[in-house]
Each structure stands twice: as structure tokens, then as C-alpha cells.
Amino acid sequence: MKTITLKADDTFDALLTGLARNLNTTKSGVMRSAVLNYKKHVERAALGRQVREASLKVREEALEYASEFEAADADGL
């Protein structure tokens, strides 16, 4: 495993130490878990943006088709 150095003030170190103690793991374990959870959060947020963009595109296309059908209906077809 690689070693990564993190500079932390006393408050952050106390928080990290307390979390490690409560979770019965090491500070490194808490940090690994936090980074993996954050990665999942970032990926979910990106997926959410993709879904919203696709939804807006589908909505725009549906409105265009509805407009075309309304125009055809108005022509008496």
C-alpha cells in the first residue's frame, strides 16, 4: 500500500480519531471509506445530471411531436 500524508488541524484530527475509535478501525480506514463514499456520491450526482438532461431532451422532442400532431389534426386528417 502507498502512504499518503495529510495535514490536519487539531479539530480535524480529533474528529478523525473519534470516528476511528467509534467505528473500531484506523484513521486510514476512515479516510479510505470516506473517499470511496464520496466517489459514489460524485458518480450519483453525475448520473442524476445525465438523467435530467436526457429527460429534458425527451420532453422537448415530445412537445415537437405533439405540435406536429396538433397541426395535422387541425388540417382535418
Side-chain angles (χ1 to χ4, degrees):
M1 244 185 226
K2 297 216 178 219
T3 299
I4 298 173
T5 302
L6 172 73
K7 292 188 181 208
D9 60 20
D10 291 339
T11 303
F12 185 81
D13 182 54
L15 173 65
L16 189 56
T17 301
L19 282 170
R21 187 178 313 117
N22 290 340
L23 297 171
N24 198 29
T25 189
T26 63
K27 292 181 194 180
S28 293
V30 171
M31 293 300 295
R32 279 191 295 274
S33 179
V35 169
L36 291 174
N37 284 327
Y38 185 69
K39 179 182 180 282
K40 288 178 188 176
H41 169 77
V42 168
E43 289 171 347
R44 261 190 223 123
L47 182 59
R49 284 190 299 276
Q50 289 175 340
V51 168
R52 279 190 297 280
E53 289 171 8
S55 175
L56 290 174
K57 184 176 180 181
V58 168
R59 185 183 306 159
E60 290 172 5
E61 290 175 1
L63 289 173
E64 287 176 22
Y65 289 126
S67 177
E68 290 174 11
F69 286 127
E70 287 174 2
D73 188 42
D75 287 342
L77 293 177

